[in-house]
Structures are given as C-alpha cells and as structure tokens.
C-alpha cells in the first residue's frame, strides 16, 4: 500500500473529532462507543504503519500537498515515530474503554472531542518533520490538556488547570522565540534542512535558540523548574486522562526535545546545552522522588514517581551517545506500559472506593484482589526489581551514564531510586497487610486491560532482547542525523 | 566600547516579552497575570514579523508592479497568523478557567488559591 496513507494517523482523529457533535444527540453510550471505535481504528492504522516501517526498514515520508520539503511540510515516520504512534494509539484505546466507567460527568461529547484531539496532538508531535508544525501540534496537545485537566469542574481542577495554562503559555512563547531565532539563522523550518545547515549556523543563535526551545518543551516534558503544574494536574484530571498524560503526552515532549537537540548536533557550542539538560534531568529525579515520599494521596504519589522517571529518560536522551539514547527509548516504552497500568488501577480504586487517599487502599488485597495484584506488579516494576521490565531499562541507562562520564548524576539517580522503593513498598504493605473488608465485584473489561498490561511487564522483564533490538533501531533514528537527512527528499534548496 | 546597533523592532518586541514575563512573575491578581501572558504573546508575534522584514520591500501580495523580488518574507506572516489564533484560544480557555476559579474560591488572588498542596 502507498505510504501516503500514513497521513490518516492525523486525519482520522481530526475528522472524527468534528463528527462528535453530530452523534451527541444519540446519548452518552453512543458517544463512548464511537470513541472506542475510532481509537480502535487508529490502533489498526498505527499497527499497519508500524509493520510497514519495521519490515522495510525505511521511514515513511508523508509530503503534505505533494510539495517536497523544505517547501512543504513533511511527516517523518521513522522507526521511533512508528513505535510511539502505536503506543499512543493503544494507550488511547485502553483509556477510551476505561472512560466508560471512569467519566460520568457531563458534557460527554466535549470529553470525547478533547480526548481525540489530545491523541491527534501527540501523534502529530511525534510524526512531524517541521519545527513550526511541531509548535502547532504541541499547542493542540497542550490546549486540549488544559481543558481536560479542568474537566471535573471542581475548584481544584480549575486551579490545577490554571497553573498549567500559565506555565504552558510562558513555555510556548519561549518555544516560539526559539523557533524564530533558528529560522532567522538558517532561513528554513524543515528539520532535515536545519540539520544540514546546522554546521554553518551562528554559534550564539544556535545556542540561545536551542536553549529557548528546550525551555519551552521542558514545560510539556516536566523537567525540574517547570514541572510544578504536573502533580496538581495529575491529581485533579479525570483518571483516564492522567494515564494518557503520563504515558504519552510527556513522551511526545521528551521526544521533540531529543529530536531538536540531535538535529543541531553540528552546531557550535552544542555540548554545553547537553550539560544543561543533564543537570536539569538529575535535579528532576532527585526532587520528584523526595516529594513523592511525603505524599498521602496515592495518585499524587504516582504522579511524582512519573516525573522522576521522566527525568531519568531526559538524562539518558541527553547523554549524547548511541547507547544512552537507545536506553532512553527503551525506558520510554517500559514507562508508558507501567504508568498506564498504575494510573488505570489507582483510578479504578478511586472511582469504586471514592478517592485515592492512602487510607482507601487499606485491605485492598482482600477487597479487590485482581486490582491489588496488578497494582503490586506495576509498583514492583516501577521500583526496578529484576524480572520486571523497568529493571532492564534502568540498568541500561545507568551503564550508559557511567560510560559517558556522568558518574555523579548516576550516583544521585541511584540514591533517589532507594527512596522510590520506600514509598512503593509502603503502598504495597498498606494494600496487603493492613485493614480488612468485604469483597467487591471487579469490572471485567478493566480487569482484562490490567492483566494484559501486567503480563506485558513480566514478559518484557523475562525476555527483554526482542524489545531491545526494536528500540535500538528507534534510538538510531534519533541519533543518526546523517541518515535522517538522507531520507528526507530535500528539493535541492541551498545544498 | 560602542554599543551594537539593534533595530528598534527587535528591541521593542523583546521588551514586550520581558514586560509580560515580569507581570507573570510579580503580579498577584490572576487577571493581571493573564493580561501579562497576552502581552508576552504579542511581543513574540512582533519579533517573528520583524525577522521577516526586508528593508524597503512591500507586502507579499503579488499584484501589478510588485513581483516576488519586491516583497518581504511571507513565511513569518503565516507563522504569526497561526500563533495569533493559538494565543487567542489559550486566552479564552484561561479566562473561562478564571471564571470557574472565581466561582469556587471567591477570589482571584493567587496567594489564596491554594487548595492543592502536598
């Protein structure tokens, strides 16, 4: 089949979001069914793109309007984008099913529309090959994220959303200034073309532009000084949306950051920027782990844990070596699986028992054994215990960090991981050994998803090599810029 | 040492961004913070437009007597058109959120809007 059909990844969620108001008259069930159907189709398309890219070994380049880059906008769906578009689609599909039970607040049609647009924005951010287009998709993602955070219409939700809007507004303004500087210095917006011209760029323009762009993306990617919105938003947003934030919205920001950093790797003064990101990432891990330790609300605790894992991914992506990037991508995949499972189970406990305070988790092993079991598997995996998937990616990241000569940050990250073990074990202890209760009937569909994700964690934990070869190709896609340029059919402008 | 000559457009645009940033950081009233955010967005848009300016050229609309060689860079204008719309959408969303905050908390002072903590 023609590779241009891959543009359906963007077109399908967009057109179906427009159709939501038309079927709203048919009632809540119809809207939710529609949401599940569309995300299922999206998963199908993403699966097709994934198998296409990995079987041919060549990226799919979609050229908007048939204009060759750098004149037209292109989508670059290489090994990385194919993998993550699939993850975005699968997580959205699971969360659409979870929304049946979790989202009972009206207006449901607006929820479905924003849900689809959030999926669209993240897919676009991962697939695009143009920096201004990246900005537009980033804004689609963040505006829908602001609105979905405030969806519950409580004071807390509005407060969390407002923090996110103000920080996100500053971040996007800085990103745009960075884009303006890069455009002013190179005269192009296409990533392939920028990579070609990076060596000839003015060093100051490249450094300031890249630093501003990273500052802007760090809001979405939850790096240390700019992540104050994240725990609030995670706590106040509807439960399925929280899982989507943690599983792919953050990843899209991190990926965009890594892509832009490596695009400019020929620019002068590039390595200073890497050191800046490494320092921010290490601080993110340490601060988030210690904040998680003192939380009484389990959802907020897992939000902090999610931020710390993101810091670890940013650390790996900024090492500047092939091994580091592959390990970072490996951790992105594993973290998406684990955090989707954790937020799913915690959210499910929240809606059945009314709240996610730690007291509600007492005796969960007797009341909801299946949920408690999957939550335990997810927690153990998050700590990084052998035989679970995150163990392998954490080891890879730490080894790559030592190899690249950042032993001090590796030591800090390892120290913070001990803290992580403390609060997850406290949660597990509360679930299994404290309190008593009646057995509660658990939902079938949510149970199946939870067991599937938990099984995935264990299978990857025991057989990590298949996924590892896969993510090495994806890491190559980010690291090897010469290869990236050679795949984008530039129109012979300026070269 | 002589100061480098900076175009008044760049200077003005960056000043607007900094004024906006100052307002966001210092002001306590939520509405003033949102106004500062809008000022910041305006500054960014002006910066983008001035990057595309070519001295002495006219608007990039091809018509009688004005060919491609006589026009300023049209790309930043497309970018700004997009950025303006995005800015307005964000402002509208922020204002509706501010309304909900005022309903639930009875104040717009950011020091009193602190129910989420820990």
């Amino acid at each position: 089949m023609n590779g241009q059909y891959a543009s359906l990844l963007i077109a399908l969620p967009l057109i179906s979001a427009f159709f939501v108001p038309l079927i709203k008259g048919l009632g809540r069930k119809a809207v939710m069914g529609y949401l599940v159907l569309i995300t299922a189709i999206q998963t199908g398309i993403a699966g097709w793109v994934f198998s296409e890219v990995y079987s041919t070994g060549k990226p799919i380049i979609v050229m908007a309007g048939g204009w060759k880059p750098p004149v037209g906008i292109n989508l670059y769906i290489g090994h990385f984008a194919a993998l993550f578009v699939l993850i975005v689609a699968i997580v959205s599909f699971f969360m659409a099913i979870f929304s049946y039970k979790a989202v009972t607040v009206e207006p449901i049609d607006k929820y479905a529309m924003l849900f689809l647009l959030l999926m669209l924005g993240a897919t676009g951010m991962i697939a695009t090959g143009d920096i201004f287009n990246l900005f537009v998709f980033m804004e689609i993602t963040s505006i829908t994220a602001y609105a979905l955070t405030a969806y519950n219409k409580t004071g807390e939700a509005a407060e969390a959303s407002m923090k996110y809007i103000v920080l996100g507004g500053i971040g996007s303004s800085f990103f745009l200034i960075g884009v303006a500087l890069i455009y002013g210095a190179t005269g192009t917006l296409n990533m392939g073309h920028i990579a070609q011209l990076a060596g000839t760029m003015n060093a100051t323009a490249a450094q300031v532009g890249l630093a501003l762009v990273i500052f802007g993306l760090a809001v979405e990617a939850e790096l240390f000084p700019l992540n104050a919105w994240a725990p609030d938003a995670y706590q106040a947003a509807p439960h399925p949306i929280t899982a989507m934030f943690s599983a792919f919205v953050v990843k899209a920001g991190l990926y965009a950051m890594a892509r832009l950093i490596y695009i400019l790797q020929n620019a002068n003064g590039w390595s200073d920027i890497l050191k800046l990101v490494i320092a921010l990432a290490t601080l993110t891990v340490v601060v988030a782990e210690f904040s998680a330790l003192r939380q009484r609300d389990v959802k907020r605790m897992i939000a902090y844990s999610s931020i710390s894992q993101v810091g670890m991914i940013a650390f790996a992506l900024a090492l500047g070596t092939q091994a580091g990037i592959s390990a970072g991508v490996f951790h992105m995949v594993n973290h998406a699986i684990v955090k989707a499972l954790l937020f799913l189970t915690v959210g499910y406990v929240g809606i059945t028992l009314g709240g996610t305070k730690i007291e509600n988790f007492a005796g969960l092993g007797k009341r909801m054994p299946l949920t408690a079991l999957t939550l335990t598997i997810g927690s153990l995996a998050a700590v990084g215990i052998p035989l679970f998937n995150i163990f392998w990616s954490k080891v890879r990241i730490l080894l790559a960090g030592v190899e690249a000569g950042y032993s001090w940050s590796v030591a800090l990250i390892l120290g913070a991981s001990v803290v992580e073990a403390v609060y997850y074990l406290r949660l597990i202890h509360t679930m299994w050994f404290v309190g008593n209760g009646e057995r509660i009937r658990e939902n079938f569909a949510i149970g199946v998803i939870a067991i599937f994700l938990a099984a995935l964690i264990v299978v990857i934990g025991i057989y990590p090599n298949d996924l590892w070869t896969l993510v090495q190709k994806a890491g190559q896609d980010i690291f090897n810029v010469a290869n990236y340029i050679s795949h984008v059919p530039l129109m012979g402008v300026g070269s | 040492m002589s100061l480098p000559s900076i175009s008044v457009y760049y200077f003005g645009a960056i000043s607007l961004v900094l004024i906006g940033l100052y307002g966001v950081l210092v002001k306590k009233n939520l509405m003033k913070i949102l106004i500062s955010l809008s000022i910041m967005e305006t500054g960014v848009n002006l910066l983008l437009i001035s990057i595309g300016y070519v001295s002495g050229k006219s608007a990039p609309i091809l018509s009688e007597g004005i060919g491609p060689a006589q026009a300023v860079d049209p790309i930043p204008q497309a970018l700004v058109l997009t950025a303006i719309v995005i800015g307005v959408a964000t402002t509208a969303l922020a204002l509706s959120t501010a309304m909900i905050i005022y309903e639930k908390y009875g104040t717009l002072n950011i020091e009193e809007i602190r129910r989420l903590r820990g």
Side-chain angles (χ1 to χ4, degrees):
Chain A
M1 235 175 18
N2 190 338
Q4 301 290 318
Y5 283 111
S7 54
L8 281 175
L9 286 172
I10 309 289
L12 177 79
L14 192 57
I15 195 91
S16 18
F18 278 115
F19 277 111
V20 170
L22 290 181
I23 56 160
K24 144 185 142 186
L26 301 175
R28 180 176 181 275
K29 278 240 161 68
V31 175
M32 286 312 233
Y34 178 75
L35 191 60
V36 173
L37 177 74
I38 298 297
T39 46
I41 299 174
Q42 175 87 354
T43 312
I45 301 172
W48 169 71
V49 168
F50 178 78
S51 66
E52 191 81 2
V53 169
Y54 276 83
S55 61
T56 60
K58 282 215 178 78
I60 298 176
I61 311 285
V62 179
M63 285 177 276
W67 295 93
K68 278 194 172 178
V71 175
I73 291 170
N74 68 314
L75 301 184
Y76 180 94
I77 305 177
H79 287 99
F80 182 91
L83 178 63
F84 269 82
V85 162
L86 185 63
I87 290 178
V88 169
I90 292 176
V91 173
S92 306
F93 175 58
F94 286 163
M95 290 311 139
I97 295 174
F98 183 34
S99 301
Y100 257 110
K101 189 117 182 79
V103 180
T104 47
V105 195
E106 289 297 318
I108 204 68
D109 57 319
K110 281 163 187 113
Y111 176 81
M113 215 193 276
L114 290 167
F115 186 104
L116 287 171
L117 288 174
L118 187 67
M119 181 170 85
L120 160 85
T123 310
M125 267 177 94
I126 289 164
T128 189
D130 180 284
I131 49 172
F132 190 73
N133 199 228
L134 174 65
F135 169 75
V136 174
F137 277 124
M138 184 179 103
E139 285 300 294
I140 293 176
T141 315
S142 36
I143 292 176
T144 47
Y146 306 152
L148 282 169
T149 305
Y151 185 75
N152 280 339
K153 278 198 182 159
T154 57
E156 283 87 353
E159 183 190 336
S161 175
M162 185 51 85
K163 285 180 190 165
Y164 192 2
I165 291 175
V166 172
L167 266 174
I170 300 173
S172 66
S173 290
F174 276 76
F175 185 87
L176 205 49
I177 300 175
V179 168
L181 280 175
I182 294 175
Y183 176 73
T186 60
T188 180
L189 291 166
N190 185 281
M191 289 185 194
H193 202 193
I194 290 175
Q196 240 177 17
L197 300 174
T200 62
M201 254 171 105
N202 179 324
T204 318
Q207 267 181 324
V208 177
L210 192 55
L212 285 169
V213 163
I214 286 174
F215 183 86
L217 281 168
V219 176
E220 281 297 297
E222 301 171 4
L223 290 187
F224 166 58
L226 305 158
N227 60 9
W229 62 270
D232 293 345
Y234 280 48
Q235 191 184 347
H239 301 300
I241 300 305
T242 314
M244 288 167 80
F245 281 174
S246 173
F248 62 73
V249 174
V250 183
K251 304 296 183 326
L254 278 173
Y255 157 70
M257 189 186 272
R259 172 65 91 202
L260 290 176
I261 288 176
Y262 287 97
I263 288 286
L264 288 169
Q265 64 177 265
N266 289 328
N268 299 313
W270 178 70
S271 51
D272 299 343
I273 300 286
L274 285 191
K275 288 196 189 98
L276 172 80
V277 180
I278 295 256
L280 289 183
T282 314
L283 273 174
T284 310
V285 176
V286 174
V287 172
E289 294 287 24
F290 278 96
S291 317
L293 190 59
R294 48 188 278 271
Q295 298 307 320
R296 303 296 302 161
D297 187 300
V298 175
K299 210 178 168 196
R300 198 173 171 90
M301 183 186 98
I302 295 180
Y304 274 115
S305 154
S306 174
I307 293 170
S308 81
Q309 306 279 339
V310 163
M312 211 177 286
I313 296 170
F315 170 74
L317 290 176
L319 284 175
T321 59
Q322 171 74 56
I325 295 173
S326 299
V329 177
F330 196 18
H331 201 58
M332 279 163 106
V333 178
N334 286 336
H335 177 249
I337 299 169
V338 170
K339 280 290 150 25
L341 174 65
L342 284 177
F343 280 116
L344 176 77
T345 43
V346 169
Y348 185 51
V349 173
I351 50 177
T352 5
L353 303 179
T356 52
K357 288 262 178 283
I358 188 117
E359 295 83 39
N360 292 355
F361 283 76
L364 196 73
K366 298 183 185 82
R367 304 176 78 181
M368 302 165 79
L370 181 66
T371 312
L373 179 71
T374 44
L375 184 51
T376 308
I377 293 177
S379 313
L380 290 176
V383 177
I385 294 196
L387 287 185
F388 293 103
N389 58 357
I390 285 193
F391 170 71
W392 299 105
S393 45
K394 264 194 187 170
V395 167
R396 297 260 186 210
I397 288 179
L398 297 177
L399 286 181
V402 171
E403 233 171 79
Y406 289 105
S407 308
W408 59 275
S409 19
V410 169
L412 283 172
I413 289 175
L414 263 179
S417 290
V418 177
V419 178
E420 187 169 33
V422 172
Y423 62 78
Y424 272 118
L425 289 178
R426 188 177 64 194
L427 172 66
I428 294 172
H429 181 264
T430 318
M431 281 194 305
W432 293 101
F433 303 111
V434 179
N436 256 317
E438 287 290 297
R439 183 79 192 267
I440 297 173
R441 233 179 120 251
E442 289 160 276
N443 185 294
F444 175 72
I446 295 172
V448 169
I449 296 174
I451 289 176
F452 172 76
L453 289 170
L456 208 57
I457 289 173
V458 176
V459 170
I460 296 174
I462 298 174
Y463 304 104
N465 283 333
D466 294 334
L467 186 62
W468 174 242
T469 45
L470 215 105
V471 296
Q472 270 180 315
K473 282 186 193 160
Q476 191 79 31
D477 190 38
I478 299 181
F479 186 66
N480 193 339
V481 174
N483 198 26
Y484 178 87
I485 300 172
S486 73
H487 282 302
V488 181
L490 289 176
M491 223 180 191
V493 185
S495 59
Chain B
M1 191 187 121
S2 68
L3 288 169
S5 66
I6 303 172
S7 142
V8 63
Y9 301 118
Y10 289 151
F11 184 79
I14 295 290
S15 310
L16 275 181
V17 173
L18 292 179
I19 291 168
L21 194 60
Y22 169 82
V24 173
L25 296 176
V26 172
K27 294 293 168 194
K28 299 271 184 275
N29 186 311
L30 200 51
M31 295 316 284
K32 286 186 182 163
I33 290 179
L34 295 183
I35 291 170
S36 311
L37 219 52
S38 291
I39 292 175
M40 209 168 146
E41 272 155 12
T42 312
V44 176
N45 291 340
L46 281 173
L47 179 73
L48 260 174
I49 280 290
S50 32
I51 277 179
Y53 179 63
V54 187
S55 178
K57 303 280 172 74
S58 79
I61 304 167
L62 298 184
S63 58
E64 230 171 298
I66 298 172
Q70 281 93 42
V72 297
D73 188 352
I75 290 178
Q77 308 201 353
L79 305 191
V80 163
L81 195 58
T82 318
I84 289 173
V85 177
I86 291 172
V88 172
T90 318
T91 310
L93 190 64
L95 287 173
S96 60
T97 312
M99 277 168 66
I100 299 178
I101 288 183
Y102 191 70
E103 267 170 32
K104 306 278 178 187
Y105 289 78
T107 176
L108 283 175
N109 184 338
I110 52 163
E111 285 179 339
E112 288 165 35
I113 306 172
R114 301 198 63 177
R115 229 178 269 170
L116 279 166
R117 57 198 326 184

